[in-house]
Amino acid sequence: MVPGLASSVPPTAGPDDENSGKFIKTTIDRSEIEKFAAMAEAWWDPIGKFRPLHRLNPVRINFIRDRVSAHFGRDAADPSPLTGLTLIDIGCGGGLLTEPMARLGAQVTGVDATPRNVEVARLHAEQGGVKAVYLNCAAEDLVAQGQRFDIVLAMEIIEHVADVDAFLEACGRLLKPGGIMFIATMSRTIKSYAMAIIGAEYVMRWLPKGTHEWNRFIRPSEMARGLRHHGLAIAELTGVSYNPFKDTFHLSRDLDVNYMAVVKPQ
């Protein structure tokens, strides 16, 4: 099992079918829901509490668009290269990544366990004329319904779940055969503690203190091991580094802080 906090909530069972016939533990951490509910109004403020995600978003969007296009034989230069593909954004928050995916043509579903996040996401999508389905639930709830998607996004969410192994299992079972998954998180290193905790929360004050817990960060090797347990493999791994002089993020070889993984069935 990948390191993570064990759930104290009893497992729940889905319908007895091929995709959801066995028990899956809950991935919801109530303390994390309360934490993000308190910040929900700030999701779309580019200089507010979610400023780092706003700065990170262009890198995430381009990375996903390019890898999805290559995987499904699409033209990444097309304005809507994801047309006809179904996508789920797990832990969608206020929809910062969900909306761009919809604008690229995907049929998107954003799910979040925090009710207020879903309300904010729905309202913003309606105001912007973006077609997106938002659900207040967890990944395992959709597994229980037998739903599956061409693209599964688990971006900056795995470090906030109650049971990492159960979360990876749910993500894998939501992926269609031949589909593609993306995971983004932070590695548990001294460098990440210095930059993501001390730097971002205490020195720069980009995030409220306590937004992240360092012991929940997952090293790439741990991620790979946990994915293999559920028949998944990392096809590509890239670091994401911050340039303080340009105030921008970029892809890099440095996996010590932020990293993104392209995941496919073994």
Side-chain angles (χ1 to χ4, degrees):
M1 179 180 291
V2 178
L5 298 183
S7 170
S8 60
V9 183
T12 57
D16 186 17
D17 62 31
E18 183 181 35
N19 190 46
S20 55
K22 73 178 199 178
F23 286 83
I24 294 182
K25 295 180 181 179
T26 182
T27 63
I28 295 175
D29 186 319
R30 296 297 173 185
S31 64
E32 293 295 303
I33 290 177
E34 294 173 2
K35 182 189 302 181
F36 283 93
M39 300 187 288
E41 305 304 324
W43 272 108
W44 288 95
D45 181 358
I47 59 173
K49 295 177 180 178
F50 294 101
R51 179 183 181 279
L53 284 182
H54 282 271
R55 305 304 297 162
L56 180 60
N57 231 20
V59 175
R60 301 195 300 176
I61 294 168
N62 292 340
F63 183 79
I64 294 169
R65 178 202 61 201
D66 293 349
R67 273 57 180 182
V68 168
S69 296
H71 182 73
F72 288 103
R74 306 295 181 85
D75 181 2
D78 188 297
S80 304
L82 276 57
T83 297
L85 297 174
T86 56
L87 179 150
I88 182 170
D89 184 10
I90 304 171
C92 64
L96 295 189
L97 190 56
T98 323
E99 284 197 20
M101 294 297 107
R103 294 184 188 279
L104 288 173
Q107 300 173 31
V108 300
T109 300
V111 301
D112 201 285
T114 302
R116 187 56 185 148
N117 284 351
V118 174
E119 293 173 8
V120 169
R122 283 176 179 162
L123 179 60
H124 195 273
E126 290 174 3
Q127 292 175 338
V130 178
K131 293 183 179 180
V133 175
Y134 285 106
L135 303 173
N136 176 212
C137 65
E140 58 268 24
D141 297 318
L142 298 186
V143 171
Q145 296 173 17
Q147 296 200 39
R148 304 185 96 171
F149 302 83
D150 296 306
I151 307 163
V152 174
L153 304 185
M155 311 294 280
E156 287 77 38
I157 178 62
I158 196 168
E159 65 269 24
H160 299 291
V161 303
D163 188 316
V164 173
D165 190 65
F167 181 75
L168 291 176
E169 178 184 6
C171 288
R173 292 172 69 180
L174 287 172
L175 188 64
K176 286 183 179 180
I180 186 171
M181 182 190 305
F182 296 83
I183 298 176
T185 189
M186 287 179 278
S187 184
R188 195 176 63 260
T189 63
I190 297 299
K191 187 174 181 179
S192 71
Y193 184 82
M195 297 184 69
I197 305 294
I198 302 300
E201 297 184 12
Y202 289 84
V203 178
M204 303 299 292
R205 296 185 179 180
W206 284 346
L207 299 167
K209 296 177 182 178
T211 298
H212 292 108
E213 296 179 34
W214 182 76
N215 66 329
R216 291 188 176 212
F217 293 177
I218 302 170
R219 296 177 180 176
S221 59
E222 296 168 342
M223 181 73 73
R225 190 162 57 247
L227 288 166
R228 282 197 301 271
H229 182 64
H230 299 294
L232 301 165
I234 294 177
E236 181 181 353
L237 194 62
T238 182
V240 181
S241 299
Y242 175 70
N243 185 325
F245 301 104
K246 295 182 178 181
D247 189 25
T248 58
F249 285 91
H250 60 275
L251 301 182
S252 74
R253 296 181 180 179
D254 185 356
L255 303 175
D256 288 342
V257 185
N258 295 82
Y259 66 92
M260 295 191 291
V262 178
V263 179
K264 300 179 182 180
Q266 288 182 330

